[in-house]
Amino acid sequence: MSGPDASPILTTPDGSRTALNARFGEAYGSRHGARSQAWHVFVGGSGTDTHPAPHVLEIGFGVGVNARASLAATAASGAPLHYLAYEFDPVPAATLREVAASGDAEHHPAWEALLRGWDGAGTQVAAEAGDAALEVRFADVTTADLPSGWATALYLDGFSPSRNPEVWTPEFTVRLAAALAPGGVLTTYSAAGHVRRALGAAGLGVERRPGAPGKRECLRAVRSR
Ligand SMILES: C[S@@+](CC[C@H](N)C(=O)[O-])C[C@H]1O[C@@H](n2cnc3c(N)ncnc32)[C@H](O)[C@@H]1O
């Protein structure tokens, strides 16, 4: 795990920030609105904002925009949040801080505790505060042991299938489906046909939804009860 090269910060049209990843040549979040994508595709799409006790599994953590949106949503709803993310190339804490500046949940005690413990060097970092438990495992998720039947929401947010195909394969999708609790919802910004087919082949009920700004469609896939 060498860590990505310096990640220039990008301010997106909705005023939120993300960063550019040199290794994959892509932005971590949507250039059309990082916060809008986090809330529309991931938090709203999965129902994390209305779930009484969300357990979120994220692939991958990136610069934490989805995590902070989830913290803000559950702080508003009053639900306790369990958030487990995988990340094989963690950015420095300074980048997380800079992207979060003036954004969702910047001062949430669990976010602040996560940043205090974050050095990106161990195998994981975990923080618990204010009704939220956050854990980031610094590992390649394609070879990691995933929790079984655990996630009420799974945010599939790897870089694009063309640049990072390993997290979009039918084989890996079967493992993701098994990590969902009955009734759990996998959400992703991609609406690619092969992603849709892989989700369906993994036994999930797949729906196309309108996309976040800049994307016509995104996907939501539900594990039946
Ligand atoms: C599109 S970005 C995620 C943005 C993030 N969800 C956010 O809210 O800022 C994709 C992330 O997935 C990570 N990633 C890609 N493939 C991975 C893998 N096989 N294992 C773990 N992390 C991976 C990348 O390093 C990157 O940080």
Side-chain angles (χ1 to χ4, degrees):
M1 208 165 37
S2 57
D5 299 338
S7 305
I9 305 298
L10 191 71
T11 299
T12 69
D14 62 13
S16 65
R17 296 175 176 188
T18 182
L20 296 172
N21 178 282
R23 173 172 164 188
F24 287 92
E26 287 189 4
Y28 284 90
S30 171
R31 293 168 185 263
H32 300 278
R35 178 177 191 269
S36 304
Q37 181 191 57
W39 281 86
H40 173 76
V41 175
F42 296 106
V43 176
S46 65
T48 294
D49 48 348
T50 53
H51 198 285
H55 286 57
V56 179
L57 176 60
E58 179 174 46
I59 295 134
F61 183 80
V63 288
V65 173
N66 295 342
R68 287 186 296 101
S70 302
L71 277 172
T74 50
S77 71
L81 173 68
H82 285 84
Y83 200 95
L84 169 62
Y86 282 86
E87 177 53 61
F88 69 176
D89 215 358
V91 299
T95 303
L96 296 177
R97 266 197 199 93
E98 205 177 335
V99 170
S102 308
D104 285 327
E106 180 192 8
H107 299 299
H108 192 292
W111 177 256
E112 291 182 333
L114 188 82
L115 292 191
R116 282 195 298 277
W118 185 282
D119 66 8
T123 56
Q124 50 93 244
V125 59
E128 198 169 339
D131 240 3
L134 306 179
E135 180 179 350
V136 183
R137 296 184 185 163
F138 300 128
D140 184 337
V141 71
T142 61
T143 52
D145 286 331
L146 299 178
S148 176
W150 181 83
T152 61
L154 195 158
Y155 302 167
L156 177 52
D157 194 17
F159 288 120
S160 63
S162 56
R163 301 263 169 102
N164 190 29
E166 290 80 5
V167 299
W168 305 94
T169 65
E171 296 73 22
F172 185 59
T173 307
V174 168
R175 297 188 51 220
L176 293 180
L180 286 172
V185 182
L186 180 154
T187 51
T188 183
Y189 66 85
S190 176
H194 68 91
V195 173
R196 213 166 60 234
R197 288 189 291 280
L199 292 167
L204 305 178
V206 188
E207 274 172 44
R208 280 191 273 200
R209 303 169 59 226
K215 290 279 274 184
R216 200 159 55 86
E217 292 184 322
C218 63
L219 298 177
R220 183 173 188 276
V222 184
R223 177 172 171 180
S224 59
R225 288 180 187 277

